[in-house]
Amino acid sequence: MMSSIKIFSLLSVLSLLFSCASATKQQGSADITIFSFNDFHGNLQAEQPVPYMAPVHDAHGHAGAPTAAGGYAYFASMLKQRRAAVGPSILVGAGDLMGASPIASAMLRDEPVIAALNQLGLSVTALGNHEFDAGGAALQAKLAGVCPANGCAFPGFSGAKYDYIAANVINKSDGQTWVKPYVIRQVGEFKVAFIGALTSDTPNLVAGDGVKDLQFEEEANTINRYVPEIQRQGVAAIVLLIHEGASYQGAANDASYACEGLQGPIIAISKKLDKAISLVVSGHTHQGYTCKIDGRLLVQARSYGAYLTETTLTIDRSSQQVIKAVASNHLIEQSKLSADPEAQQLLTQVASLTAMVRTRPVTRLSAALTRASEPGQFDSSLGNVIADAQLKFAKSVGNADFAMMNAGGIRSDLALGKQGQPAEINYGDIYAVQPFGNTLISMRLNGEQILALLQQQWQGGSKAAPKKLFVSDGFSYRWKFGAEPANMLQDVRLHGQPLDIQKQYTVVVNSFLADGGDGFTVFRQGTERRVLGRDLEAFEHYMHAQGADLTGLKTDRVQRLD
């Protein structure tokens, strides 16, 4: 029998070896995974109104044919696959996860969207401007699961199990942040901080009084203000979730992280950020990219659940610092995934609750109506048709000279069927085009004010990519590419007659524009305002009456001069 002394000695040796192995392990590094997405906009149903066609690039960055992508059930399936393939992970968002939603979500007040995000295990997301579509008070009530007097729209709804964060949204009344500025989460063996922010341009992007009691501070300095406080809490990594982004024409994954041609506000913001922030998860611009700005990783997952971003942070255990960051955007390609059964069950319930209204027939469409402009053109077929619909509606209830429609208010195309066959368009389809519930407003503006409005299309943005106002039939002008805004407009006419800068005209726009939305502040000067009715009502009436006889299909109202 082994003596007690020998047993004690053996145990001591084993204990020493175990301690040495543990010390070696602790001196190494470990990976954690940050899954992220943005601008989901309540697109639960993959087919509403048609599948989102995501741009696809090959390994060399060359563009190929778009593919049907996104949809909650397919997104959930990909997320489960990737979670099973990695170690410790967390799912986060960069804003606009709801709002400007298709009819199936919007009819149920986006309650099923929150339920779906709970089901996904979302931990935290930044606020986006579209979260404020119904106003701040309505948002907070919804997140808390507080139902209206007539009850919740989605059975069993109980609010959000995840956090919304934003460091730069401040209550004007007391100077305090409107929601938490940041949260700290345990991811595996490490504490990770997530700071939230959204574009300071939000007051120009939200209709009516939705944010009148809130102040949106400059992003970078406000974010940096919280870094020392966070660092004192012993975190190993700091991640920024921000609803602001960049435009980009390249592939969703860039192996070099160079992202040549990337442009937008997030670049300047990133360059000002504290070096302690290791990762910037961006949104707002509906682009897909994996880039590095001054060595810091910047990602975005396009929109509508078409991509899932997977970022791996390698953290040194000894220093508790991020020593490496890599990212990849996974395409949620419907043809290569199976719908997740649990997610599909939620979708079936949503479809059943909304079917009667959603499937109401409107018209039969023989030509596609799209938001995009033809090469070398300014206006679009869908933008023109909406402006025509608003003018016709205004004339049916009073008087109007012309109508204008903002490009940002058009959220979906009206496509044809398979192989270009005519499509049966229902109420759900047109709702997806104009989901905001705006009213139509007529107002009086003189010719000089109208010229100033048109010039505002090129203010605060790129000369090559202006903030477009589509105009109704009979209104036309030409614009000179490369000129300054004040010298851009030429030959502005209404029904063939030059615009008279002294004359008063009756203009019809949606309520968002009437309040100066999208930076078109001249609309606030309009007088003799009159509420005419709902924009979607005007669109439905026009589409039902006109059928295939749509004057807006010819996109030559605004012509470019080189």
Side-chain angles (χ1 to χ4, degrees), residues 247-302:
S247 60
Y248 182 57
Q249 300 301 314
N253 292 296
D254 185 339
S256 69
Y257 297 103
C259 293
E260 185 177 346
L262 188 78
Q263 298 179 33
I266 196 62
I267 298 173
I269 293 171
S270 293
K271 289 181 177 180
K272 295 177 185 176
L273 292 175
D274 192 296
K275 298 299 182 185
I277 297 172
S278 301
L279 168 65
V280 177
V281 179
S282 66
H284 192 47
T285 51
H286 293 209
Q287 306 291 292
Y289 48 73
T290 53
C291 311
K292 287 193 175 178
I293 306 296
D294 290 347
R296 187 191 348 254
L297 192 57
L298 168 70
V299 300
Q300 190 178 153
R302 203 165 266 282

Side-chain angles (χ1 to χ4, degrees), residues 190 403 412 480:
F190 302 109
S412 184
K480 188 170 181 61

Side-chain angles (χ1 to χ4, degrees), residues 432-468:
V433 173
Q434 292 185 278
F436 297 109
N438 287 322
T439 54
L440 291 180
I441 309 291
S442 66
M443 65 178 69
R444 300 281 282 173
L445 293 168
N446 63 36
E448 186 175 6
Q449 291 170 318
I450 293 166
L451 290 177
L453 265 174
L454 295 174
Q455 290 167 358
Q456 285 188 319
Q457 294 175 106
W458 289 274
Q459 293 172 5
S462 166
K463 291 181 181 179
K467 299 175 295 182
K468 296 179 180 179

Side-chain angles (χ1 to χ4, degrees), residues 422-434:
E424 301 297 332
I425 302 300
N426 60 35
Y427 188 75
D429 297 328
I430 66 168
Y431 188 100
V433 173
Q434 292 185 278

Side-chain angles (χ1 to χ4, degrees), residues 522-542:
V522 176
F523 280 120
R524 295 175 187 162
Q525 301 171 17
T527 60
E528 299 179 36
R529 292 174 176 244
R530 182 185 172 202
V531 177
L532 306 178
R534 291 286 180 182
D535 59 353
L536 192 58
E537 180 186 359
F539 190 37
E540 182 181 16
H541 285 177
Y542 185 79

